Amino acid sequence: MPKSKKRNSRPAGGRQKTIQPFSDDDSSVETMSHCSSYSDTASFAEDGAEVDEEAAQEDFEFKLKGFIELTMDKSAKTRQAALEGLKSGLSSKILYDFIVERRITLTDSIERCLKKGKGEEQRVAAALACLLCCQLGSGMESEEVFRTLAPVLKSIISDRSANMSARQACASYLGLCCFIATDDIEDLYMTMECMENLFTKQYHAEGGTDNASALHIQALLSWALLLTICHSSEVKKKIDM
């Protein structure tokens, strides 16, 4: 059950590498070539029974490191391909030790892609945020990820000018991230309030299209999921509202 407490949103210490600024230039051909080679459909498959397991793991992690670097590329296409590669990798196996050492860099990369990207890039970045929380599990590390990314996800959800698919993804993955990561009742209730505003106050303003209805349904599903970890008194209050 969530409980109130205060924590810093970021862990102390740890120097961050200089991040190359984003631009709308998609002409990074060489970088895109590297990314394409990394994201080959067979890149995460085993090469054969005789392949040394430790060497295969090192190669796997090397490719993931390459994806992490490419999320900072100037090219939107390259960033999106790198996000897809990370999504595929993090979906394939548990990588706690690898992830926990790079969680700040990964969180920063996801945050930048959510802020600077559009449409599909934001959608994949939101999915990666959820996978990051899943990899870290319930605890302080995932809660720090949630507190960093939640404001950006909420901003996209509430932005009526944003891509509808991106808004739907953010509504879905914000709910899942909150369910996994948060141990603070205020964070829980604020996330639920964001969903409530979407499927109540914005429903009539945005209703009438299939995409808008899908967004409101997704917000309602996330809200219902979070309701399952609320105190019984809060559940009664929400149902009676």
Side-chain angles (χ1 to χ4, degrees):
M1 187 66 63
K3 54 183 180 297
S4 295
K5 61 179 180 299
K6 294 182 179 179
R7 286 182 183 158
N8 293 328
S9 60
R10 292 291 183 91
R15 295 181 59 187
Q16 298 297 303
K17 63 185 290 186
T18 301
I19 304 299
Q20 188 176 19
F22 283 98
S23 77
D24 292 328
D25 179 16
D26 288 339
S27 61
S28 181
V29 178
E30 181 180 358
T31 309
M32 190 62 189
S33 175
H34 286 301
C35 191
S36 297
S37 66
Y38 283 141
S39 57
D40 185 274
T41 54
S43 63
F44 291 111
E46 293 183 8
D47 295 327
E50 68 278 2
V51 175
D52 181 77
E53 184 176 346
E54 184 176 350
Q57 180 66 19
E58 289 178 358
D59 182 61
F60 182 84
E61 292 183 359
F62 176 78
K63 291 173 181 177
L64 291 180
K65 291 175 187 176
F67 288 137
I68 293 172
E69 291 181 3
L70 291 174
T71 60
M72 304 171 191
D73 196 80
K74 291 181 179 181
S75 166
K77 291 180 181 179
T78 300
R79 294 196 305 270
Q80 183 178 325
L83 290 170
E84 291 281 9
L86 284 169
K87 179 172 172 281
S88 177
L90 269 62
S91 299
S92 66
K93 60 173 67 177
I94 299 298
L95 298 160
Y96 179 80
D97 291 337
F98 177 87
I99 296 298
V100 78
E101 292 177 0
R102 297 165 178 83
R103 69 185 187 280
I104 297 176
T105 302
L106 276 166
T107 304
D108 288 345
S109 295
I110 294 170
E111 183 179 20
R112 284 181 172 83
C113 290
L114 287 170
K115 287 181 176 179
K116 302 295 183 180
K118 296 183 183 299
E120 188 65 13
E121 183 179 348
Q122 291 177 315
R123 187 190 67 78
V124 182
L128 186 58
C130 184
L131 282 170
L132 181 56
C133 287
C134 289
Q135 287 280 347
L136 293 171
S138 179
M140 184 175 292
E141 292 88 358
S142 60
E143 188 166 25
E144 288 165 351
V145 171
F146 172 77
R147 287 187 171 178
T148 299
L149 299 179
V152 189
L153 292 169
K154 290 177 182 178
S155 176
I156 296 171
I157 291 170
S158 303
D159 183 1
R160 297 182 187 180
S161 66
N163 177 272
M164 189 62 74
S165 294
R167 294 178 71 192
Q168 290 177 25
C170 289
S172 174
Y173 295 123
L174 175 62
L176 288 169
C177 287
C178 184
F179 182 82
I180 294 166
T182 190
D183 195 32
D184 190 309
I185 198 168
E186 293 302 322
D187 288 340
L188 172 62
Y189 291 165
M190 287 175 65
T191 302
M192 294 184 72
E193 183 179 359
C194 173
M195 301 301 173
E196 289 167 14
N197 288 336
L198 194 62
F199 65 74
T200 56
K201 296 179 182 179
Q202 292 190 27
Y203 176 78
H204 295 292
E206 295 186 313
T209 66
D210 291 340
N211 285 338
S213 296
L215 170 63
H216 300 134
I217 291 170
Q218 193 57 66
L220 181 58
L221 289 173
S222 292
W223 178 87
L225 173 66
L226 297 179
L227 191 65
T228 65
I229 56 174
C230 288
H231 190 275
S232 57
S233 61
E234 185 67 20
V235 173
K236 187 177 187 304
K237 186 189 302 182
K238 294 288 186 184
I239 292 176
D240 292 341
M241 70 178 185

